[in-house]
Amino acid sequence: MDDIDPIAIVTGAGRGIGRAVAVRLSREGYKLALTSRNESELRETADLCQGETMVIPADITSAEAIETLFDSVEDAWGAAEVLVANAGSGFAAPIHKTTDAQWASMLDLNLTAPFRCIRRAVPNMVAAKRGRIVVVASVAAKQGEPYISAYTASKHGILGVVRSAAAELAKTGVTVNAVCPGYVDTPMTAQTVSEIVSRTGRTADDARSALEAKQANGRLVTADEVADAVWACVANGAINGQGINVDGGGLQS
């Protein structure tokens, strides 16, 4: 990964983990193609990055949008050497109240969209004999937790894709890994806190404390700590097929 101005694509780059990953990659000399639904958030991320960026607002659950994303990057700069598939979301509901639409929404965003991005990125990476694919998954990719059956299924699924792709590509110079955070201090966790407040009547502080208490080190993970793990997967070609836990030590593997 020693070319001048290497190229990376980061999905879900408007805030939280995606923003931290984009900033980290920019500091390491990467040109950044940033995508999410929210253009204003993407531009805020771009302003924080060093070097050249490209802002491409898109709904990553659209197969056509993924093609446009990659085509735009390749037309302007060339093929990406790094893909960080970070876009994702979650929701909580008892399994008997989880609707087909909610189930499909989780699989579309957390499983099918990153699979499509990986599928689109791989041919050029294999042709170049090098590439790094990192999916931001979750500790929910490895263990179940009440009320998040659809989210957990989607994250288990994408970890399976990562492991299979890594085995398939191991001799090509392309690595595929997942980073599996616990509760991270991001807008997504803030949404989880709001849902707990709405469902239980607890205060926001109590709800946040409950999430902190779920982690072995008693605090939320920072977005920068997740970005550091993503960077390790990018920088080290011997890391492949892994689901790297970033949760303060709660889930040991």
Side-chain angles (χ1 to χ4, degrees), residues 12-25:
R15 56 184 183 170
I17 293 170
R19 176 174 287 180
V21 168
V23 170
R24 178 61 187 270
L25 290 174

PDB file of all heavy atoms in Angstrom, residues 12-25:
ATOM      1  N   GLY A  12     -21.128   5.433   5.054  1.00  0.00           N
ATOM      2  CA  GLY A  12     -21.571   5.909   6.362  1.00  0.00           C
ATOM      3  C   GLY A  12     -20.591   6.895   6.952  1.00  0.00           C
ATOM      4  O   GLY A  12     -20.346   6.911   8.167  1.00  0.00           O
ATOM      5  N   ALA A  13     -20.028   7.763   6.095  1.00  0.00           N
ATOM      6  CA  ALA A  13     -18.911   8.621   6.494  1.00  0.00           C
ATOM      7  C   ALA A  13     -19.347   9.949   7.095  1.00  0.00           C
ATOM      8  O   ALA A  13     -18.500  10.766   7.441  1.00  0.00           O
ATOM      9  CB  ALA A  13     -18.004   8.884   5.282  1.00  0.00           C
ATOM     10  N   GLY A  14     -20.641  10.182   7.235  1.00  0.00           N
ATOM     11  CA  GLY A  14     -21.101  11.487   7.664  1.00  0.00           C
ATOM     12  C   GLY A  14     -20.901  11.793   9.130  1.00  0.00           C
ATOM     13  O   GLY A  14     -20.858  12.967   9.515  1.00  0.00           O
ATOM     14  N   ARG A  15     -20.763  10.783   9.963  1.00  0.00           N
ATOM     15  CA  ARG A  15     -20.668  11.022  11.405  1.00  0.00           C
ATOM     16  C   ARG A  15     -20.132   9.769  12.083  1.00  0.00           C
ATOM     17  O   ARG A  15     -19.920   8.737  11.453  1.00  0.00           O
ATOM     18  CB  ARG A  15     -22.021  11.414  11.982  1.00  0.00           C
ATOM     19  CG  ARG A  15     -23.128  10.405  11.724  1.00  0.00           C
ATOM     20  CD  ARG A  15     -24.463  10.897  12.235  1.00  0.00           C
ATOM     21  NE  ARG A  15     -25.523   9.900  12.055  1.00  0.00           N
ATOM     22  CZ  ARG A  15     -26.729   9.992  12.583  1.00  0.00           C
ATOM     23  NH1 ARG A  15     -27.040  11.055  13.339  1.00  0.00           N
ATOM     24  NH2 ARG A  15     -27.629   9.061  12.389  1.00  0.00           N
ATOM     25  N   GLY A  16     -19.932   9.872  13.377  1.00  0.00           N
ATOM     26  CA  GLY A  16     -19.595   8.713  14.196  1.00  0.00           C
ATOM     27  C   GLY A  16     -18.344   7.984  13.737  1.00  0.00           C
ATOM     28  O   GLY A  16     -17.317   8.589  13.435  1.00  0.00           O
ATOM     29  N   ILE A  17     -18.432   6.661  13.684  1.00  0.00           N
ATOM     30  CA  ILE A  17     -17.291   5.831  13.323  1.00  0.00           C
ATOM     31  C   ILE A  17     -16.805   6.148  11.919  1.00  0.00           C
ATOM     32  O   ILE A  17     -15.594   6.252  11.671  1.00  0.00           O
ATOM     33  CB  ILE A  17     -17.649   4.340  13.456  1.00  0.00           C
ATOM     34  CG1 ILE A  17     -17.887   3.974  14.934  1.00  0.00           C
ATOM     35  CG2 ILE A  17     -16.547   3.466  12.863  1.00  0.00           C
ATOM     36  CD1 ILE A  17     -18.489   2.588  15.131  1.00  0.00           C
ATOM     37  N   GLY A  18     -17.720   6.303  10.973  1.00  0.00           N
ATOM     38  CA  GLY A  18     -17.320   6.585   9.607  1.00  0.00           C
ATOM     39  C   GLY A  18     -16.520   7.858   9.483  1.00  0.00           C
ATOM     40  O   GLY A  18     -15.526   7.919   8.739  1.00  0.00           O
ATOM     41  N   ARG A  19     -16.924   8.883  10.210  1.00  0.00           N
ATOM     42  CA  ARG A  19     -16.170  10.140  10.197  1.00  0.00           C
ATOM     43  C   ARG A  19     -14.774   9.934  10.787  1.00  0.00           C
ATOM     44  O   ARG A  19     -13.775  10.413  10.231  1.00  0.00           O
ATOM     45  CB  ARG A  19     -16.919  11.217  10.970  1.00  0.00           C
ATOM     46  CG  ARG A  19     -16.159  12.530  11.087  1.00  0.00           C
ATOM     47  CD  ARG A  19     -17.003  13.610  11.727  1.00  0.00           C
ATOM     48  NE  ARG A  19     -18.035  14.082  10.797  1.00  0.00           N
ATOM     49  CZ  ARG A  19     -18.930  15.026  11.093  1.00  0.00           C
ATOM     50  NH1 ARG A  19     -18.925  15.590  12.293  1.00  0.00           N
ATOM     51  NH2 ARG A  19     -19.828  15.393  10.197  1.00  0.00           N
ATOM     52  N   ALA A  20     -14.687   9.233  11.902  1.00  0.00           N
ATOM     53  CA  ALA A  20     -13.385   9.002  12.534  1.00  0.00           C
ATOM     54  C   ALA A  20     -12.465   8.195  11.622  1.00  0.00           C
ATOM     55  O   ALA A  20     -11.262   8.467  11.530  1.00  0.00           O
ATOM     56  CB  ALA A  20     -13.571   8.282  13.870  1.00  0.00           C
ATOM     57  N   VAL A  21     -13.018   7.206  10.943  1.00  0.00           N
ATOM     58  CA  VAL A  21     -12.228   6.402  10.004  1.00  0.00           C
ATOM     59  C   VAL A  21     -11.732   7.270   8.851  1.00  0.00           C
ATOM     60  O   VAL A  21     -10.561   7.187   8.452  1.00  0.00           O
ATOM     61  CB  VAL A  21     -13.053   5.220   9.476  1.00  0.00           C
ATOM     62  CG1 VAL A  21     -12.363   4.549   8.290  1.00  0.00           C
ATOM     63  CG2 VAL A  21     -13.296   4.200  10.587  1.00  0.00           C
ATOM     64  N   ALA A  22     -12.610   8.107   8.300  1.00  0.00           N
ATOM     65  CA  ALA A  22     -12.219   8.964   7.188  1.00  0.00           C
ATOM     66  C   ALA A  22     -11.092   9.903   7.586  1.00  0.00           C
ATOM     67  O   ALA A  22     -10.101  10.063   6.852  1.00  0.00           O
ATOM     68  CB  ALA A  22     -13.430   9.750   6.688  1.00  0.00           C
ATOM     69  N   VAL A  23     -11.214  10.520   8.743  1.00  0.00           N
ATOM     70  CA  VAL A  23     -10.173  11.440   9.204  1.00  0.00           C
ATOM     71  C   VAL A  23      -8.850  10.690   9.387  1.00  0.00           C
ATOM     72  O   VAL A  23      -7.778  11.180   8.984  1.00  0.00           O
ATOM     73  CB  VAL A  23     -10.610  12.133  10.507  1.00  0.00           C
ATOM     74  CG1 VAL A  23      -9.451  12.902  11.132  1.00  0.00           C
ATOM     75  CG2 VAL A  23     -11.789  13.073  10.235  1.00  0.00           C
ATOM     76  N   ARG A  24      -8.916   9.500   9.971  1.00  0.00           N
ATOM     77  CA  ARG A  24      -7.697   8.715  10.185  1.00  0.00           C
ATOM     78  C   ARG A  24      -7.040   8.354   8.854  1.00  0.00           C
ATOM     79  O   ARG A  24      -5.815   8.497   8.677  1.00  0.00           O
ATOM     80  CB  ARG A  24      -8.007   7.451  10.985  1.00  0.00           C
ATOM     81  CG  ARG A  24      -6.805   6.536  11.211  1.00  0.00           C
ATOM     82  CD  ARG A  24      -5.707   7.252  11.987  1.00  0.00           C
ATOM     83  NE  ARG A  24      -4.488   6.456  12.060  1.00  0.00           N
ATOM     84  CZ  ARG A  24      -4.221   5.589  13.030  1.00  0.00           C
ATOM     85  NH1 ARG A  24      -5.085   5.400  14.018  1.00  0.00           N
ATOM     86  NH2 ARG A  24      -3.089   4.917  13.028  1.00  0.00           N
ATOM     87  N   LEU A  25      -7.820   7.888   7.893  1.00  0.00           N
ATOM     88  CA  LEU A  25      -7.256   7.522   6.599  1.00  0.00           C
ATOM     89  C   LEU A  25      -6.666   8.735   5.883  1.00  0.00           C
ATOM     90  O   LEU A  25      -5.625   8.633   5.224  1.00  0.00           O
ATOM     91  CB  LEU A  25      -8.312   6.851   5.729  1.00  0.00           C
ATOM     92  CG  LEU A  25      -8.752   5.447   6.156  1.00  0.00           C
ATOM     93  CD1 LEU A  25      -9.910   4.973   5.293  1.00  0.00           C
ATOM     94  CD2 LEU A  25      -7.593   4.459   6.068  1.00  0.00           C
TER      95      LEU A  25
END
